[in-house]
């Protein structure tokens, strides 16, 4: 049995299938972990969701910002745009099934045996693992509830952009959603920055990638994330694994086999 960790698919169905063919993926033996952002931008979001949903427990998915966006568009909280390429998905007769499935996906997955943590954008460096899981599970509880639309209506916004335990409950949860699904850079005082999306090689000097700030995550754990395609040619610390290599932008879809740490890539031009 092999465990494969796959970066942001973003509707690139053909590339996903070609990537899995490289390793002769066997759904009866292997497990797939997805860093989120399954949909949008690419041309085949419907096919991607249909395939991953069909895998059942073989697929482990963390929610990304685009997955939450799909739920919000479906719920009337957000407006869809043509460039998102999700019209056919929204019009599919089984869209409610996919939405319910996504609402029940986690924001963070932890495998204690493998010492492996996955979140779409990462883990806030000033949190320990217990705190991160506390906020993730609270958000997941709301997304699974019958009142999830009320939660979504309060979820969006850049403020608060710094963690403080004296924030209101929903301020803490909004901040946490942004950490798990939107975070890239922090100012030196830990304040989140949402404007800079470039490579750290050309970022302002007053910003640090979240993973270069001393973390409270125990030694021995690895954090796997996606979201940040401009990291595709940037080295990260040994236990920080970035898997979004910008397939939807014409680059590659990337996958890591956990057992032997071997990487596989599939070009956008299959």
């Amino acid at each position: 049995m092999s465990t494969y960790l796959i970066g942001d698919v973003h509707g690139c169905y053909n590339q996903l299938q070609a990537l899995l063919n490289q390793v002769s993926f066997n759904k009866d033996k292997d497990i797939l972990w997805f860093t989120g952002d399954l949909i949008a931008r690419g041309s085949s979001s419907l096919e991607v969701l249909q395939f991953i949903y069909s895998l059942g427990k073989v697929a482990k998915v963390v929610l990304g910002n685009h997955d939450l966006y799909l739920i919000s568009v479906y719920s009337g909280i957000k407006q869809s745009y043509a460039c998102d390429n999700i019209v056919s998905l929204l019009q599919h007769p089984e869209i409610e099934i996919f939405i319910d499935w996504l609402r029940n996906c986690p924001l963070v997955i932890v495998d204690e045996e493998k010492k492996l943590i996955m979140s779409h954008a990462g883990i806030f460096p000033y949190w320990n693992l217990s705190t991160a899981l506390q906020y993730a599970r609270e958000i997941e509880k709301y997304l699974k509830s019958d009142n999830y639309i009320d939660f979504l209506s309060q979820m969006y916004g850049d403020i608060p952009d710094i963690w403080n335990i004296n924030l209101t409950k929903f301020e803490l949860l909004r901040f946490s959603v942004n950490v798990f699904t939107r975070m890239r850079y922090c100012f030196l005082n830990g304040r989140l920055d949402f404007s800079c999306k470039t490579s750290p090689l050309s970022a302002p000097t007053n910003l640090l990638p979240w993973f270069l700030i001393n973390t409270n995550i125990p030694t021995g754990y690895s954090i796997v994330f996606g979201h940040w395609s401009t990291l595709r040619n940037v080295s990260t610390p040994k236990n920080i694994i970035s898997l979004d290599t910008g397939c939807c932008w014409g680059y590659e879809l990337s996958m890591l086999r956990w057992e032997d740490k071997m990487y596989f890539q599939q070009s956008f031009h299959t």
Side-chain angles (χ1 to χ4, degrees), residues 8 35-37 62-65 107-108 118-125 176-185 194 209-211 223-228 231 240-242:
D8 301 21
T35 61
D37 279 3
V62 293
L63 292 172
N65 52 303
L107 285 158
V108 178
M118 180 179 280
S119 170
H120 176 63
I123 302 294
F124 188 56
S176 302
V177 169
N178 286 336
V179 165
F180 295 131
T181 66
R182 297 178 61 204
M183 177 178 64
R184 292 184 180 91
Y185 288 102
F194 298 112
W210 64 266
F211 51 78
I223 301 176
V224 180
F225 67 105
H227 183 59
W228 197 344
L231 288 179
I240 302 294
I241 301 168
S242 173

Side-chain angles (χ1 to χ4, degrees), residues 138-194:
E138 187 75 9
I139 295 164
E140 292 159 14
K141 182 184 73 173
Y142 279 104
L143 289 173
K144 294 175 184 178
S145 75
D146 293 338
N147 297 321
Y148 75 95
I149 295 178
D150 291 337
F151 174 74
L152 291 172
S153 68
Q154 301 180 65
M155 185 181 73
Y156 288 96
D158 294 346
I159 302 297
D161 56 6
I162 193 165
W163 182 52
N164 184 326
I165 58 172
N166 294 320
L167 295 170
T168 68
K169 181 177 183 178
F170 276 97
E171 285 175 336
L172 283 169
L173 295 183
R174 187 185 305 119
F175 177 84
S176 302
V177 169
N178 286 336
V179 165
F180 295 131
T181 66
R182 297 178 61 204
M183 177 178 64
R184 292 184 180 91
Y185 288 102
C186 296
F187 290 97
L188 302 183
N189 65 352
R191 187 181 300 275
L192 299 179
D193 173 79
F194 298 112

Side-chain angles (χ1 to χ4, degrees), residues 222-266:
S222 294
I223 301 176
V224 180
F225 67 105
H227 183 59
W228 197 344
S229 62
T230 53
L231 288 179
R232 60 187 297 270
N233 293 318
V234 176
S235 296
T236 57
K238 182 179 179 181
N239 66 327
I240 302 294
I241 301 168
S242 173
L243 286 178
D244 181 6
T245 46
C247 186
C248 66
W249 302 117
Y251 296 105
E252 304 87 24
L253 184 62
S254 292
M255 177 172 71
L256 172 65
R257 185 164 58 206
W258 184 248
E259 285 71 23
D260 59 4
K261 308 302 186 288
M262 182 173 289
Y263 282 90
F264 302 87
Q265 289 190 319
Q266 181 61 47

Side-chain angles (χ1 to χ4, degrees), residues 18-240:
L19 187 62
L20 294 177
N21 286 339
Q22 284 188 40
V23 296
S24 301
F25 165 68
N26 185 336
K27 66 179 182 180
D28 296 322
K29 295 182 179 180
D30 302 326
I31 299 292
L32 304 181
W33 289 42
F34 291 91
T35 61
D37 279 3
L38 305 180
I39 56 93
R41 293 189 173 138
S43 61
S44 304
S45 290
L46 173 60
E47 290 81 358
V48 168
L49 272 196
Q50 287 177 319
F51 171 69
I52 297 176
Y53 175 80
S54 74
L55 293 174
K57 294 183 178 179
V58 171
K60 298 179 180 290
V61 176
V62 293
L63 292 172
N65 52 303
H66 284 272
D67 309 311
L68 289 173
Y69 167 76
L70 174 66
I71 300 171
S72 297
V73 171
Y74 173 79
S75 304
I77 302 298
K78 286 285 187 177
Q79 179 181 350
S80 174
Y81 296 94
C83 61
D84 299 322
N85 281 326
I86 59 173
V87 173
S88 62
L89 177 55
L90 288 165
Q91 294 175 343
H92 193 271
E94 294 183 336
I95 181 60
E96 185 175 355
I97 294 174
F98 299 138
I99 294 296
D100 287 345
W101 170 61
L102 287 172
R103 288 200 297 115
N104 282 273
C105 288
L107 285 158
V108 178
I109 299 175
V110 179
D111 188 313
E112 291 291 352
E113 181 179 340
K114 294 180 173 64
K115 299 298 181 185
L116 182 59
I117 304 167
M118 180 179 280
S119 170
H120 176 63
I123 302 294
F124 188 56
Y126 296 99
W127 288 345
N128 57 31
L129 185 54
S130 176
T131 299
L133 288 174
Q134 173 190 338
Y135 291 136
R137 300 306 175 240
E138 187 75 9
I139 295 164
E140 292 159 14
K141 182 184 73 173
Y142 279 104
L143 289 173
K144 294 175 184 178
S145 75
D146 293 338
N147 297 321
Y148 75 95
I149 295 178
D150 291 337
F151 174 74
L152 291 172
S153 68
Q154 301 180 65
M155 185 181 73
Y156 288 96
D158 294 346
I159 302 297
D161 56 6
I162 193 165
W163 182 52
N164 184 326
I165 58 172
N166 294 320
L167 295 170
T168 68
K169 181 177 183 178
F170 276 97
E171 285 175 336
L172 283 169
L173 295 183
R174 187 185 305 119
F175 177 84
S176 302
V177 169
N178 286 336
V179 165
F180 295 131
T181 66
R182 297 178 61 204
M183 177 178 64
R184 292 184 180 91
Y185 288 102
C186 296
F187 290 97
L188 302 183
N189 65 352
R191 187 181 300 275
L192 299 179
D193 173 79
F194 298 112
S195 60
C196 187
K197 301 180 181 181
T198 189
S199 162
L201 301 176
S202 57
T205 56
N206 64 335
L207 294 177
L208 279 176
W210 64 266
F211 51 78
L212 292 186
I213 300 173
N214 288 335
T215 179
N216 289 306
I217 300 301
T219 302
Y221 283 84
S222 294
I223 301 176
V224 180
F225 67 105
H227 183 59
W228 197 344
S229 62
T230 53
L231 288 179
R232 60 187 297 270
N233 293 318
V234 176
S235 296
T236 57
K238 182 179 179 181
N239 66 327
I240 302 294

